[in-house]
Amino acid sequence: MEFYSIQIGLALMLAFVTFLLSNRINNSANRYLAILFGFISLLFTLPLIGEYFFEEWSGVDIIIESIKFLIPSFLYLSVYHFVNRPNYFLKKHYLLFIPFIMVVMVWLFLNSTETNRLFLENSYEILDAFLIITLFLFSVIIFYFVIKMLIKHKKNVLKLHSNKQGVNLNWLYNLILVFPLLLIIHLVFELSSEENYFVYFSNFMLFIILFYSGYHILQQREVFDLTTRQKLQFVNEPLQKVSFQKEELIDKNLVLEIANELEKLMEEEQPFLNKNLSLSILSDKLNTRTHILSFVINTNYNVNFYTYVNKFRLDYSKSLLKNPKKQHLSMEGVAYESGFGSKSTFNTLFKKQIGMTPIQYKNSKNQ
């Protein structure tokens, strides 16, 4: 009972915190995530309600099974709104709720008459097994599309951000890899005589998952950090994909002009020292559009935004490592002063480009 109460409280707290965050960052995605946590808290709460307030437990149990079908649906909606811009609810998203509606309709039918209720009572174990298998198959399909979106997002985020922390959604990717494993274990235990062991195991795992999710939810940043001007452009212009025809974009002279302005800005103002520098922030400084600036960087330097910005940071870090007045800085200090979001990212990129670690580079220059 005490463990259930902790889970209920934690799930409700996550739902509340995520909903509050939805007013500040990743609005639609966090709202759907808050609803998901709300349903998870219901899954913990309803067994207690059914045990203490209902004589016929089977009805409440079917409600719980039907709610389980909403978890993959809202997970998909949340991830979809995390990785897409603009991120409106589409007509095809209604299809996500068909399994839930069908389960509810079946439950209502089986409880509509005395004969149907008797059939439900006699066939409950078979129906329960069928629901679990259906839930497993539905979840596998949803997880496939969600993982596909997240893999694509990992590539796209390099075009939008110079710091992947808080925007690459790795935590969601890791969670989604765990859920199929839990479902398989659930299916095995449900069809065996050792179901109670799974209850203890799943409760513990969900407890860990909720804590893990809570930590990363608080660490998240806006994936599409549009400025006020850029948001107005999206509202006033018809919806279109970021991809575009090169000939419809700008002429070569304008590409060269933006490239010159970009180099001047990077040298004089050093915006790369901002660890959260994004394509939208930089394009706003240049008074141009994000897809235009992305095109200029891709065509002129043959790299994505992430690589382009971090090259300036690496060059700046090398100057710090050689500077006699900066010898007191730790490697972590050099990383942060150069605009990197973490020491690990700094070490990885430095060794990849320079061929040695920052400490080795520092020692070689000071000999």
Side-chain angles (χ1 to χ4, degrees), residues 171-188:
W171 66 279
L172 270 174
Y173 185 82
N174 295 335
L175 277 183
I176 288 163
L177 293 179
V178 171
F179 272 114
L181 177 62
L182 284 176
L183 284 170
I184 292 171
I185 296 172
H186 183 19
L187 181 62
V188 171

Side-chain angles (χ1 to χ4, degrees), residues 39 42-43 46 58-71 73-74 96-113 116 120 127 130-131 134:
F39 280 123
L42 271 179
L43 290 179
L46 285 175
S58 60
V60 178
D61 201 13
I62 293 295
I63 295 175
I64 293 173
E65 294 301 327
S66 64
I67 289 177
K68 287 179 182 178
F69 282 85
L70 291 174
I71 304 298
S73 301
F74 280 98
L96 295 168
F97 300 100
I98 289 178
F100 167 76
I101 293 171
M102 291 181 65
V103 170
V104 171
M105 290 177 65
V106 169
W107 172 75
L108 291 174
F109 174 75
L110 292 175
N111 283 272
S112 59
T113 65
N116 290 347
L120 174 61
L127 290 171
F130 176 76
L131 280 175
T134 306

